[in-house]
């Protein structure tokens, strides 16, 4: 098998990062279960999700739409819809369980020690407030500084996210800026208080391809400058290869495989990860149908027993369909939730 | 902005002309000879002929309209048949009374409607929400005249707390003025408060769901700041527009309320004029109200423009 271009990029990146395990954990999610209450009853969206985001490193959370990536991010920020219920688990930020905090204590951390960038830059900024007001407000909420000082800092942040003529942009309203510029403003706002953890939920999905690369680059550069831990949510394995250090693959509310980016691309173990990797179009392969994973993600209210991927897995047997596989270490730093691991058959 | 206003004003002119034509044709459509009404008891043919001559009643209708329109444009809306006072002067003396009533009603409507709308949106599905909705529905459903009569019976007759009538000018006796105005203002304001509450609620519900509210929460802002600064600022745009349109509504709503509480305002002027077949006054008042309505619409448009940065650019 010829090395895919994505894989080549991934190994180039990860080689640059040394001592991954020594980096201090910033956020630790442990056995998180989140459900939603509806008129028809309740169902779980996340079931026993665990992962760790470390200082200066980027953890990519990958999976199909509806697998629970965004719910995970919103749970950390405490931004879940009112009908969401956190069943059990812990969300530790620098050792403090956020789930134990009062609304006021959580508010002291949101926008300060942890911050979030959303998928939709077009609607995430308030249309009736100026860019400057929206950044300044976040700074003054967490820093005992006057308006002038906060404005200076806001201009500085706009400069850091490479917005031209930042002084003039301060008085602009969001509609006067393009999508890419608005996402830069969101990043400036999120990083204004120098957070320990930055959550980016599909930050480039809504943007043009050329702008996507710029935004990812920017996040990476700023992370190198500040050492912020980044949790990057994406469905795009190209993005993972580009900016990720570690990856957690999510399927139907569970983490099915977790590894460094290099390991995951070089030696994918979960059949679902294999499916995801083989459905990336390649320039060097023969013309034909793009491989897909058959079937579709089961609905949260209608989860299969045993392994949740068993309904779509080419390797599944009765054991898979009756008993749920735990997420177990296969080698140091590479964990898989599959009875068949290590896989001996490699999917074409 | 200036170009926009100029365009809106230009569009208003045909509307105003149309109103003026309809107002003018009122007297043609109404039964009875205006000359007879003007003459009163003196109905000798000579007097009637003189009156017809004086008021151009023998001219063709378009010429009559032209005479009337040029008069109106120079501020002369004719004379009251009853009081012989110029209609313009009558309107100008009665208007402040109604304006005071309408302003007080609007303040009451805003003071009740907007906070109630916010609370019921923020506490959606709770007893607060249900309570506010029940009150709002009653506010919309209960007719002004019934509420007015009930309040007079309870507050004035049973409890003797406020006078049921006996208007005094605020310049003469402010306390008496407020005592007589508060009940009618409340009656007039409740209906509007209910409408404002419903609109505030739905506008708030949609802006509370907006992405920018989630961003505001992600910044760690307190719920009060999130609701009042981020959600309400956006929700108020349609509500303010609606409120301005309701000001026009208040002018017509005042007709009944002023009648019930015997307040000598605009509404009472028009009702008396109708009963007395005082055409000139009816025409004047209707034309004035129509114009005011159009101006309110224009004002609403401009406010919407000013409040919404997306349009301002």
């Amino acid at each position: 098998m010829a090395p895919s271009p994505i894989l080549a990029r991934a190994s180039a990146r990860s080689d640059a990062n040394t001592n991954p395990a020594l980096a201090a954990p910033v956020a630790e999610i442990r056995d998180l279960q989140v459900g939603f209450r509806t008129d028809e009853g309740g169902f779980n969206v996340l079931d026993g999700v665990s992962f760790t985001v470390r200082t200066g490193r980027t953890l990519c959370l990958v999976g199909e739409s509806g697998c629970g990536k965004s719910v995970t991010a919103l749970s950390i920020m405490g931004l879940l819809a009112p009908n969401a219920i956190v069943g059990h688990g812990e969300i530790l930020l620098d050792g403090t369980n956020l789930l134990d905090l009062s609304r006021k204590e959580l508010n002291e951390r949101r926008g300060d020690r942890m911050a979030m960038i959303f998928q939709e830059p077009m609607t995430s900024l308030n249309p009736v407030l100026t860019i400057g007001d929206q950044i300044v407000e976040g700074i003054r909420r967490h820093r005992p500084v006057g308006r002038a000082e906060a404005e200076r800092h806001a201009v500085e942040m706009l400069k850091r996210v490479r917005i031209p003529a930042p002084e003039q942009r301060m008085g602009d309203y969001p509609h006067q800026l393009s999508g890419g510029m608005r996402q830069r403003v969101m990043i400036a706002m999120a990083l204004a208080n120098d957070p320990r953890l930055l959550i980016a939920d599909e930050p480039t999905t809504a943007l043009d391809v050329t702008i996507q690369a710029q935004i990812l680059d920017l996040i990476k550069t700023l992370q190198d400058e500040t050492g912020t831990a980044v949790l990057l949510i994406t469905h795009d394995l190209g993005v993972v290869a580009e900016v990720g250090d570690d990856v957690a693959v999510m399927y139907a509310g569970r983490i099915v495989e977790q590894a460094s980016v290099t390991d995951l691309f070089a030696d994918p173990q979960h059949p679902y990860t294999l499916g995801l990797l083989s459905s990336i179009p390649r320039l060097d392969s023969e013309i034909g149908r793009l491989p897909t994973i058959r079937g579709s993600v089961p609905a949260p209210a209608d989860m299969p027993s045993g392994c949740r991927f068993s309904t779509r897995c080419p390797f599944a047997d009765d054991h898979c369909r009756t008993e749920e596989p735990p997420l177990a270490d296969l080698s140091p730093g590479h964990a898989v939730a599959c009875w068949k691991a290590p896989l001996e058959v490699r999917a074409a | 902005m200036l170009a926009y206003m100029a365009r809106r004003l230009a569009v208003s002119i045909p509307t105003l002309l149309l109103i003026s034509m309809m107002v003018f044709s009122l007297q043609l459509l109404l039964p009875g000879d205006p000359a007879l009404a003007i003459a009163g008891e003196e109905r000798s043919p000579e007097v009637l002929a003189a009156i017809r001559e004086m008021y151009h009643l023998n001219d063709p209708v378009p010429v009559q309209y032209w005479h009337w329109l040029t008069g109106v444009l120079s501020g002369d809306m004719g004379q009251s048949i009853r009081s012989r006072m110029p209609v313009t002067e009558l309107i100008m003396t009665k208007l402040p009374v109604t304006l005071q009533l309408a302003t007080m009603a609007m303040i009451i409507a805003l003071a009740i409607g907007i906070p109630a709308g916010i609370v019921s949106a923020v506490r959606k599905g709770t007893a607060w929400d249900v309570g506010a909705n029940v009150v709002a529905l009653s506010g919309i459903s209960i007719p002004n005249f019934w509420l007015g009569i009930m309040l007079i019976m309870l507050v004035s007759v049973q409890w003797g707390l406020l006078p049921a009538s006996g208007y005094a000018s605020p310049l003469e006796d402010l306390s008496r003025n407020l005592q007589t105005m508060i009940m009618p203002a409340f009656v007039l304001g409740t209906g509007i408060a209910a409408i404002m509450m419903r609109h505030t609620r739905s506008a708030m519900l949609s802006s509370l769901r907006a992405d920018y509210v989630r961003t505001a929460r992600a910044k760690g802002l307190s719920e009060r700041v999130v609701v009042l600064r981020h959600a309400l600022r956006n929700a108020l745009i349609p509500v303010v527009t609606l409120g301005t349109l309701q000001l026009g509504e208040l002018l017509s709503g005042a007709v009944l309320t002023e009648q019930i509480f015997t307040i000598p305002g605009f509404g009472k002027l028009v009702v008396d004029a109708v009963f007395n077949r005082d055409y000139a006054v009816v025409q004047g008042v209707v034309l004035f109200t129509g114009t005011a309505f159009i101006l309110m619409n224009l004002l609403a448009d401009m406010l919407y423009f000013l409040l919404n940065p997306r349009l301002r650019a």
Side-chain angles (χ1 to χ4, degrees):
Chain A
M1 189 167 83
S4 83
I6 281 180
L7 178 62
R9 269 186 290 165
S11 52
R13 260 209 53 72
S14 271
D15 291 344
N17 284 279
T18 48
N19 283 340
L22 291 182
V26 173
E28 290 171 78
I29 316 303
R30 288 186 190 156
D31 195 25
L32 183 66
Q33 187 195 59
V34 175
F36 286 95
R37 201 178 42 218
T38 65
D39 293 339
E40 288 86 42
F43 53 84
N44 281 335
V45 176
L46 299 185
D47 200 3
V49 168
S50 304
F51 57 82
T52 302
V53 198
R54 294 172 190 277
T55 305
R57 290 181 69 84
T58 300
L59 173 74
C60 293
L61 201 55
V62 195
E64 283 168 276
S65 317
C67 71
K69 301 178 305 243
S70 291
V71 171
T72 309
L74 294 174
S75 321
I76 300 173
M77 292 297 289
L79 291 172
L80 288 169
N83 67 335
I85 310 154
V86 178
H88 55 71
E90 286 182 321
I91 299 171
L92 302 177
L93 181 70
D94 286 326
T96 312
N97 187 359
L98 298 180
L99 297 175
D100 291 341
L101 298 182
S102 68
R103 172 74 25 182
K104 191 168 169 287
E105 290 168 321
L106 182 66
N107 270 340
E108 276 159 18
R109 285 165 175 82
R110 293 203 281 207
D112 187 20
R113 276 196 252 170
M114 57 175 179
M116 185 161 172
I117 310 165
F118 301 93
Q119 184 173 349
E120 265 301 332
M122 302 311 275
T123 51
S124 291
L125 290 164
N126 194 325
V128 301
L129 299 174
T130 62
I131 303 302
D133 277 345
Q134 297 187 56
I135 305 176
V136 162
E137 153 185 82
I139 297 169
R140 298 196 66 191
R141 165 69 181 85
H142 299 287
R143 297 271 179 277
V145 293
R147 170 125 203 135
E149 171 76 30
E151 274 176 4
R152 263 197 302 280
H153 185 45
V155 170
E156 179 57 33
M157 286 314 297
L158 290 179
K159 229 178 261 168
R160 283 180 66 189
V161 298
R162 323 270 192 279
I163 285 185
E167 286 87 359
Q168 280 86 64
R169 292 285 89 83
M170 288 282 286
D172 278 1
Y173 287 93
H175 72 268
Q176 290 166 285
L177 273 64
S178 67
M181 282 295 154
R182 288 189 214 185
Q183 198 61 298
R184 283 169 196 267
V185 171
M186 287 296 293
I187 296 172
M189 211 153 82
L191 294 179
N193 290 321
D194 211 358
R196 300 264 296 139
L197 172 70
L198 174 70
I199 302 174
D201 186 0
E202 306 246 9
T204 57
T205 305
L207 302 174
D208 287 348
V209 184
T210 46
I211 310 292
Q212 284 186 11
Q214 291 176 14
I215 295 290
L216 290 174
D217 237 32
L218 181 67
I219 294 177
K220 202 70 216 165
T221 314
L222 293 172
Q223 181 186 29
D224 288 345
E225 286 169 28
T226 58
T228 302
V230 175
L231 173 63
L232 182 77
I233 290 171
T234 181
H235 63 268
D236 185 345
L237 286 167
V239 169
V240 175
E242 197 74 48
V243 299
D245 297 307
D246 306 296
V247 203
V249 180
M250 235 179 149
Y251 182 78
R254 307 207 70 187
I255 291 193
V256 294
E257 184 162 7
Q258 201 167 1
S260 71
V261 170
T262 334
D263 284 354
L264 189 97
F265 281 96
D267 186 24
Q269 283 296 329
H270 197 280
Y272 177 63
T273 315
L274 275 174
L276 283 183
L277 286 171
S278 63
S279 50
I280 301 171
R282 301 236 330 240
L283 291 175
D284 56 352
S285 65
E286 279 172 36
I287 295 166
R289 283 180 72 89
L290 200 57
T292 52
I293 305 172
R294 66 195 166 100
S296 56
V297 187
D302 189 27
M303 278 297 161
S305 60
C307 173
R308 294 182 172 190
F309 191 59
S310 59
T311 50
R312 303 171 72 187
C313 181
F315 314 112
D317 58 19
D318 286 346
H319 185 207
C320 299
R321 281 183 273 272
T322 48
E323 210 174 325
E324 191 154 8
L327 186 68
D329 274 347
L330 205 67
S331 57
H334 194 159
V336 189
C338 178
W339 294 121
K340 300 284 175 190
L343 278 180
E344 279 156 28
V345 204
R346 298 300 301 262
Chain B
M1 176 72 193
L2 276 174
Y4 174 79
M5 271 167 61
R7 216 165 41 235
R8 280 293 280 107
L9 268 172
V11 172
S12 314
I13 290 171
T15 320
L16 278 171
L17 272 178
L18 200 70
I19 292 178
S20 75
M21 283 178 202
M22 284 159 81
V23 164
F24 179 77
S25 47
L26 265 184
Q27 73 167 38
L28 300 174
L29 295 171
L30 286 174
D33 182 349
L36 277 177
I38 295 167
E41 297 303 310
E42 273 183 66
R43 293 184 173 182
S44 66
E46 300 80 50
V47 173
L48 288 178
I51 287 171
R52 290 205 174 95
E53 190 58 37
M54 190 175 149
Y55 289 98
H56 309 286
L57 291 175
N58 295 322
D59 293 344
V61 173
V63 177
Q64 287 187 40
Y65 172 68
W66 179 250
H67 279 300
W68 178 75
L69 188 67
T70 46
V72 167
L73 287 178
S74 59
D76 174 18
M77 293 206 258
Q79 256 186 12
S80 160
I81 295 166
R82 280 282 151 151
S83 63
R84 304 279 165 202
M85 269 171 66
V87 173
T88 321
E89 201 182 310
L90 270 177
I91 291 177
M92 284 308 148
T93 50
K94 302 294 184 185
L95 188 65
V97 180
T98 302
L99 277 185
Q100 188 201 349
L101 182 64
T103 312
M104 285 174 68
M106 202 54 181
I107 292 171
I108 290 172
L110 291 175
I112 299 174
I114 291 183
I118 296 172
V119 168
S120 76
V122 172
R123 305 241 177 281
K124 182 176 176 254
T126 64
W128 284 95
D129 185 23
V130 176
N133 273 296
V134 168
V135 173
L137 197 61
S138 334
I140 294 171
S141 324
I142 294 174
N144 278 353
F145 70 88
W146 185 84
L147 182 63
I149 293 168
M150 286 301 130
L151 278 181
I152 291 177
M153 274 171 59
L154 266 180
V155 180
S156 304
V157 180
Q158 290 276 331
W159 301 336
L161 290 176
L162 288 169
S165 64
Y167 171 82
S169 155
L171 299 175
E172 289 163 11
D173 187 348
L174 185 63
S175 128
R176 171 87 190 160
N177 170 268
L178 290 178
Q179 279 177 34
T180 51
M181 292 292 259
I182 191 75
M183 258 203 301
F186 180 78
V187 167
L188 202 50
T190 43
I192 308 231
I195 297 171
M196 300 293 268
M197 179 261 159
R198 304 278 300 186
H199 277 83
T200 307
R201 179 178 186 273
S202 72
M204 277 300 282
L205 280 179
S206 81
S207 65
L208 280 171
R209 270 195 300 267
D211 286 350
Y212 54 76
V213 164
R214 191 181 57 187
T215 309
R217 292 211 170 101
K219 282 196 259 188
L221 302 174
S222 70
E223 198 57 19
R224 199 178 58 86
V225 176
V226 170
V227 168
L228 296 182
R229 183 173 153 93
H230 286 269
L232 186 62
R233 276 280 273 270
N234 281 277
L236 273 186
I237 296 173
V239 173
V240 166
T241 313
L242 179 87
T244 320
L245 291 177
Q246 293 292 332
L247 272 175
E249 236 17 82
L250 276 176
L251 283 182
S252 50
V255 173
L256 260 177
T257 314
E258 285 178 4
Q259 202 64 23
I260 294 165
F261 290 92
T262 52
I263 291 168
F266 213 57
K268 203 155 169 356
L269 178 70
V270 70
V271 172
D272 292 348
V274 169
F275 284 137
N276 294 331
R277 300 199 170 195
D278 203 339
Y279 299 124
V281 175
V282 175
Q283 279 175 342
V285 171
V286 172
L287 186 65
F288 184 88
T289 315
T291 313
F293 228 100
I294 286 177
L295 287 178
M296 289 302 164
N297 269 293
L298 202 65
L299 185 67
D301 270 7
M302 267 151 50
L303 276 176
Y304 189 75
F305 211 87
L306 285 174
L307 287 172
N308 199 333
R310 277 160 293 192
L311 293 178
R312 242 183 286 153

PDB file of all heavy atoms in Angstrom, chain A residues 237-253:
ATOM      1  N   LEU A 237     -10.870  13.946   8.401  1.00  0.00           N
ATOM      2  CA  LEU A 237      -9.590  13.339   8.786  1.00  0.00           C
ATOM      3  C   LEU A 237      -8.407  14.112   8.213  1.00  0.00           C
ATOM      4  O   LEU A 237      -7.301  14.045   8.749  1.00  0.00           O
ATOM      5  CB  LEU A 237      -9.549  11.886   8.318  1.00  0.00           C
ATOM      6  CG  LEU A 237     -10.433  10.961   9.166  1.00  0.00           C
ATOM      7  CD1 LEU A 237     -10.618   9.625   8.478  1.00  0.00           C
ATOM      8  CD2 LEU A 237      -9.830  10.755  10.550  1.00  0.00           C
ATOM      9  N   GLY A 238      -8.643  14.869   7.148  1.00  0.00           N
ATOM     10  CA  GLY A 238      -7.591  15.735   6.613  1.00  0.00           C
ATOM     11  C   GLY A 238      -7.193  16.775   7.650  1.00  0.00           C
ATOM     12  O   GLY A 238      -6.007  17.049   7.862  1.00  0.00           O
ATOM     13  N   VAL A 239      -8.190  17.349   8.321  1.00  0.00           N
ATOM     14  CA  VAL A 239      -7.929  18.329   9.377  1.00  0.00           C
ATOM     15  C   VAL A 239      -7.149  17.678  10.516  1.00  0.00           C
ATOM     16  O   VAL A 239      -6.201  18.245  11.055  1.00  0.00           O
ATOM     17  CB  VAL A 239      -9.261  18.925   9.893  1.00  0.00           C
ATOM     18  CG1 VAL A 239      -9.046  19.736  11.156  1.00  0.00           C
ATOM     19  CG2 VAL A 239      -9.915  19.769   8.809  1.00  0.00           C
ATOM     20  N   VAL A 240      -7.536  16.453  10.866  1.00  0.00           N
ATOM     21  CA  VAL A 240      -6.859  15.735  11.944  1.00  0.00           C
ATOM     22  C   VAL A 240      -5.370  15.596  11.620  1.00  0.00           C
ATOM     23  O   VAL A 240      -4.505  15.893  12.444  1.00  0.00           O
ATOM     24  CB  VAL A 240      -7.484  14.338  12.141  1.00  0.00           C
ATOM     25  CG1 VAL A 240      -6.699  13.542  13.181  1.00  0.00           C
ATOM     26  CG2 VAL A 240      -8.936  14.465  12.552  1.00  0.00           C
ATOM     27  N   ALA A 241      -5.088  15.158  10.389  1.00  0.00           N
ATOM     28  CA  ALA A 241      -3.696  14.961   9.980  1.00  0.00           C
ATOM     29  C   ALA A 241      -2.942  16.286  10.006  1.00  0.00           C
ATOM     30  O   ALA A 241      -1.766  16.344  10.347  1.00  0.00           O
ATOM     31  CB  ALA A 241      -3.654  14.356   8.587  1.00  0.00           C
ATOM     32  N   GLU A 242      -3.643  17.345   9.663  1.00  0.00           N
ATOM     33  CA  GLU A 242      -3.031  18.670   9.570  1.00  0.00           C
ATOM     34  C   GLU A 242      -2.635  19.226  10.940  1.00  0.00           C
ATOM     35  O   GLU A 242      -1.523  19.693  11.124  1.00  0.00           O
ATOM     36  CB  GLU A 242      -4.029  19.612   8.899  1.00  0.00           C
ATOM     37  CG  GLU A 242      -3.445  20.904   8.363  1.00  0.00           C
ATOM     38  CD  GLU A 242      -2.643  20.666   7.090  1.00  0.00           C
ATOM     39  OE1 GLU A 242      -3.145  19.972   6.175  1.00  0.00           O
ATOM     40  OE2 GLU A 242      -1.525  21.151   7.033  1.00  0.00           O
ATOM     41  N   VAL A 243      -3.552  19.201  11.885  1.00  0.00           N
ATOM     42  CA  VAL A 243      -3.294  19.912  13.147  1.00  0.00           C
ATOM     43  C   VAL A 243      -3.300  19.029  14.388  1.00  0.00           C
ATOM     44  O   VAL A 243      -2.913  19.485  15.460  1.00  0.00           O
ATOM     45  CB  VAL A 243      -4.312  21.062  13.354  1.00  0.00           C
ATOM     46  CG1 VAL A 243      -4.206  22.061  12.237  1.00  0.00           C
ATOM     47  CG2 VAL A 243      -5.716  20.526  13.485  1.00  0.00           C
ATOM     48  N   GLY A 244      -3.735  17.772  14.277  1.00  0.00           N
ATOM     49  CA  GLY A 244      -3.911  16.979  15.485  1.00  0.00           C
ATOM     50  C   GLY A 244      -2.624  16.393  16.046  1.00  0.00           C
ATOM     51  O   GLY A 244      -1.667  16.137  15.318  1.00  0.00           O
ATOM     52  N   ASP A 245      -2.596  16.214  17.368  1.00  0.00           N
ATOM     53  CA  ASP A 245      -1.527  15.446  18.003  1.00  0.00           C
ATOM     54  C   ASP A 245      -2.076  14.079  18.401  1.00  0.00           C
ATOM     55  O   ASP A 245      -1.436  13.061  18.220  1.00  0.00           O
ATOM     56  CB  ASP A 245      -1.021  16.166  19.252  1.00  0.00           C
ATOM     57  CG  ASP A 245      -0.396  17.509  18.900  1.00  0.00           C
ATOM     58  OD1 ASP A 245       0.491  17.535  18.036  1.00  0.00           O
ATOM     59  OD2 ASP A 245      -0.818  18.533  19.481  1.00  0.00           O
ATOM     60  N   ASP A 246      -3.269  14.122  18.989  1.00  0.00           N
ATOM     61  CA  ASP A 246      -3.919  12.886  19.407  1.00  0.00           C
ATOM     62  C   ASP A 246      -5.301  12.842  18.777  1.00  0.00           C
ATOM     63  O   ASP A 246      -5.862  13.873  18.432  1.00  0.00           O
ATOM     64  CB  ASP A 246      -4.071  12.856  20.937  1.00  0.00           C
ATOM     65  CG  ASP A 246      -2.728  13.094  21.625  1.00  0.00           C
ATOM     66  OD1 ASP A 246      -1.843  12.251  21.460  1.00  0.00           O
ATOM     67  OD2 ASP A 246      -2.583  14.142  22.286  1.00  0.00           O
ATOM     68  N   VAL A 247      -5.846  11.639  18.653  1.00  0.00           N
ATOM     69  CA  VAL A 247      -7.188  11.488  18.083  1.00  0.00           C
ATOM     70  C   VAL A 247      -8.032  10.588  18.954  1.00  0.00           C
ATOM     71  O   VAL A 247      -7.541   9.591  19.481  1.00  0.00           O
ATOM     72  CB  VAL A 247      -7.169  10.786  16.699  1.00  0.00           C
ATOM     73  CG1 VAL A 247      -8.412  11.145  15.915  1.00  0.00           C
ATOM     74  CG2 VAL A 247      -5.921  11.065  15.939  1.00  0.00           C
ATOM     75  N   ALA A 248      -9.293  10.948  19.096  1.00  0.00           N
ATOM     76  CA  ALA A 248     -10.268  10.035  19.673  1.00  0.00           C
ATOM     77  C   ALA A 248     -11.361   9.870  18.635  1.00  0.00           C
ATOM     78  O   ALA A 248     -11.930  10.845  18.167  1.00  0.00           O
ATOM     79  CB  ALA A 248     -10.829  10.604  20.972  1.00  0.00           C
ATOM     80  N   VAL A 249     -11.613   8.623  18.231  1.00  0.00           N
ATOM     81  CA  VAL A 249     -12.655   8.369  17.231  1.00  0.00           C
ATOM     82  C   VAL A 249     -13.932   8.020  17.980  1.00  0.00           C
ATOM     83  O   VAL A 249     -13.933   7.164  18.858  1.00  0.00           O
ATOM     84  CB  VAL A 249     -12.255   7.209  16.295  1.00  0.00           C
ATOM     85  CG1 VAL A 249     -13.345   6.953  15.268  1.00  0.00           C
ATOM     86  CG2 VAL A 249     -10.927   7.512  15.625  1.00  0.00           C
ATOM     87  N   MET A 250     -15.001   8.722  17.634  1.00  0.00           N
ATOM     88  CA  MET A 250     -16.255   8.524  18.340  1.00  0.00           C
ATOM     89  C   MET A 250     -17.254   7.844  17.430  1.00  0.00           C
ATOM     90  O   MET A 250     -17.340   8.156  16.244  1.00  0.00           O
ATOM     91  CB  MET A 250     -16.801   9.890  18.731  1.00  0.00           C
ATOM     92  CG  MET A 250     -17.060  10.005  20.193  1.00  0.00           C
ATOM     93  SD  MET A 250     -17.667  11.624  20.566  1.00  0.00           S
ATOM     94  CE  MET A 250     -18.684  11.180  21.924  1.00  0.00           C
ATOM     95  N   TYR A 251     -17.998   6.920  17.989  1.00  0.00           N
ATOM     96  CA  TYR A 251     -19.068   6.300  17.219  1.00  0.00           C
ATOM     97  C   TYR A 251     -20.268   6.092  18.131  1.00  0.00           C
ATOM     98  O   TYR A 251     -20.141   5.456  19.182  1.00  0.00           O
ATOM     99  CB  TYR A 251     -18.621   4.969  16.613  1.00  0.00           C
ATOM    100  CG  TYR A 251     -19.714   4.343  15.773  1.00  0.00           C
ATOM    101  CD1 TYR A 251     -19.963   4.814  14.486  1.00  0.00           C
ATOM    102  CD2 TYR A 251     -20.526   3.334  16.284  1.00  0.00           C
ATOM    103  CE1 TYR A 251     -20.980   4.285  13.725  1.00  0.00           C
ATOM    104  CE2 TYR A 251     -21.555   2.797  15.530  1.00  0.00           C
ATOM    105  CZ  TYR A 251     -21.781   3.282  14.242  1.00  0.00           C
ATOM    106  OH  TYR A 251     -22.802   2.772  13.495  1.00  0.00           O
ATOM    107  N   ALA A 252     -21.404   6.638  17.738  1.00  0.00           N
ATOM    108  CA  ALA A 252     -22.666   6.448  18.465  1.00  0.00           C
ATOM    109  C   ALA A 252     -22.510   6.675  19.972  1.00  0.00           C
ATOM    110  O   ALA A 252     -22.935   5.862  20.778  1.00  0.00           O
ATOM    111  CB  ALA A 252     -23.235   5.068  18.186  1.00  0.00           C
ATOM    112  N   GLY A 253     -21.882   7.779  20.333  1.00  0.00           N
ATOM    113  CA  GLY A 253     -21.829   8.153  21.736  1.00  0.00           C
ATOM    114  C   GLY A 253     -20.744   7.486  22.551  1.00  0.00           C
ATOM    115  O   GLY A 253     -20.697   7.639  23.770  1.00  0.00           O
TER     116      GLY A 253
END
